[in-house]
Amino acid sequence: MEGVVDHHMRKILSASDASGGIDSCVTEFIRVTDHTLPRRVFIRSCPELLGDSDYTVRVQLLGSNARALAANARKVAQLGAPAVDLNFGCPAKTVNKNRGGACLLDDTDLIYEIVSRVRDAVPASTPVTAKIRLGYNERDSYLKNAKAIEEAGANELFVHARSKKDGYKPPAYWGYIGEIRQALKIPVIANGEIWTVDDYFQCREQSGCNDVMLGRGLLAKPDLALAIKAASQGKPFAHLEWAEIATRVHLFFQQTCTAYPAKYLGNRLKQWLHYLRKTYPEADALFNDIKTSRNREQIEKRLNLEIHSRF
Ligand SMILES: Cc1cc2nc3c(=O)[nH]c(=O)nc-3n(C[C@H](O)[C@H](O)[C@H](O)COP(=O)(O)O)c2cc1C
């Protein structure tokens, strides 16, 4: 998720001793225009390519120039990415204006061309995956696009069960994913509006998909993937307490402070707290206290207070 799930967050969420339960992560989207990006761009988005992580990360590309996407995908595969993912779902105005993301949902031929060129450009051993929404203005192009993506040689399809026009507004229309799943042979992974274990079971029932992609729900409940795994296996599960989350929040702030330009200080922390406050009242109080601050010492002091005064 652009603006919040960087490698620091992926590591925190994937840490097997803590939250865990995640099979695979995806980078924030990397925008491709008409040229091949330098290695450092991919490493910056996905330092896990350097090989020191114990979880897998697919590298996600976004753009509409099939030739350039293919060249970048080849480079990403050469850098050792376990899979290349193509974003056909981003609803952001600036992204769509530049012909990237969800606006391509109205151009099935181009989606086909992009996926097939990318598939041809990377070794057969590197999976190519794609992410779509149900359509652009209407929920109407999902079957056409899904079939084109499969025919073009993709290995898996992620479906965010809303149109671009639906934005991020509930509900997610999981039933449509069931139609796609029945029409395709490749694995289909359901996405959208899974905030709880109960949502997971409802999504599974309506879509027929066992596998799901978690977005905001995982940021709101960092142990959601593990809770889903436990519930699927009929095992009991003890949720993470705020004390455990708070230390990770602190770590995330420290890491992101030094990793990004000073003008963005605190942005990623605030994004995460925005989701955490849905689950933890303590995160809500913390968010309210720091939301207008861009001062590192001030935020640090408040975070220290959170950790040391409560526990
Ligand atoms: C702030 C934000 C950033 C996102 N960035 C990306 C992205 O870079 N790539 C992507 O495929 N989806 C991105 N998404 C979409 C999510 O991956 C997901 O498809 C969507 O939020 C629906 O799932 P959810 O209801 O579980 O959050 C983003 C969503 C949000 C809210």
Side-chain angles (χ1 to χ4, degrees):
M1 284 172 61
E2 214 256 333
V4 59
V5 185
D6 61 1
H7 65 285
H8 305 295
M9 179 63 81
R10 291 193 290 270
K11 188 166 182 177
I12 288 171
L13 293 174
S14 302
S16 52
D17 61 332
S19 23
I22 299 161
D23 299 318
S24 178
C25 302
V26 189
T27 62
E28 298 168 82
F29 67 74
I30 300 172
R31 203 186 307 226
V32 170
T33 54
D34 56 359
H35 60 281
T36 308
L37 295 162
R39 178 181 183 273
R40 70 182 141 75
V41 171
F42 298 115
I43 300 298
R44 192 170 57 215
S45 277
C46 190
E48 292 96 333
L49 288 171
L50 298 173
D52 59 354
S53 71
D54 46 13
Y55 53 92
T56 63
V57 189
R58 295 154 194 248
V59 174
Q60 187 181 73
L61 304 180
L62 176 149
S64 56
N65 181 326
R67 198 182 296 267
L69 284 162
N72 281 282
R74 183 181 301 121
K75 189 155 181 176
V76 163
Q78 281 164 355
L79 288 170
V84 178
D85 186 55
L86 296 166
N87 181 320
F88 302 117
C90 181
K93 270 202 185 85
T94 42
V95 169
N96 287 183
K97 208 175 66 206
N98 291 304
R99 273 192 77 57
C103 68
L104 301 189
L105 295 170
D106 277 343
D107 193 343
T108 304
D109 290 346
L110 183 55
I111 289 185
Y112 178 86
E113 192 195 342
I114 290 171
V115 177
S116 60
R117 277 190 188 244
V118 167
R119 179 63 280 169
D120 288 349
V122 303
S125 55
T126 304
V128 173
T129 63
K131 167 120 173 269
I132 59 169
R133 284 180 177 244
L134 299 175
Y136 192 72
N137 279 323
E138 306 297 328
R139 290 170 225 120
D140 58 0
S141 59
Y142 55 96
L143 269 184
K144 218 164 58 168
N145 286 328
K147 284 179 185 165
I149 286 166
E150 178 174 75
E151 273 166 36
N155 300 82
E156 283 178 3
L157 176 66
F158 295 85
V159 184
H160 177 183
R162 279 183 272 241
S163 68
K164 184 263 170 191
K165 196 171 152 196
D166 293 327
Y168 292 98
K169 272 196 314 283
Y173 302 87
W174 297 317
Y176 291 85
I177 305 178
E179 277 183 62
I180 298 175
R181 199 184 56 81
Q182 284 180 346
L184 262 51
K185 293 183 199 71
I186 58 172
V188 175
I189 296 102
N191 169 241
E193 220 53 32
I194 299 172
W195 297 92
T196 62
V197 169
D198 208 46
D199 292 338
Y200 166 75
F201 283 113
Q202 282 189 43
C203 172
R204 194 166 94 169
E205 197 181 306
Q206 289 177 36
S207 66
C209 298
N210 287 333
D211 290 327
V212 295
M213 167 183 263
L214 302 174
R216 295 162 302 164
L218 191 65
L219 292 173
K221 287 189 176 61
D223 59 7
L224 181 58
L226 211 57
I228 288 173
K229 273 206 174 149
S232 305
Q233 295 162 1
K235 292 184 183 158
F237 184 73
H239 283 282
L240 284 176
E241 300 289 336
W242 171 245
E244 295 166 281
I245 302 290
T247 55
R248 286 165 182 75
V249 167
H250 189 208
L251 177 69
F252 184 60
F253 177 62
Q254 288 177 323
Q255 291 173 333
T256 50
C257 263
T258 48
Y260 300 98
K263 64 178 176 179
Y264 302 126
L265 191 131
N267 284 8
R268 286 176 180 252
L269 168 73
K270 289 171 201 172
Q271 276 264 34
W272 192 17
L273 287 174
H274 166 72
Y275 294 110
L276 282 173
R277 67 209 286 228
K278 295 179 194 293
T279 309
Y280 300 94
E282 300 90 337
D284 188 45
L286 182 54
F287 178 82
N288 285 324
D289 285 353
I290 61 141
K291 68 182 175 199
T292 56
S293 177
R294 289 215 170 266
N295 181 301
R296 182 170 178 174
E297 284 70 40
Q298 211 175 29
I299 297 177
E300 183 75 38
K301 209 166 137 192
R302 178 61 183 85
L303 286 169
N304 274 320
L305 193 72
E306 189 63 30
I307 292 170
H308 300 301
S309 68
R310 286 181 194 272
F311 317 114

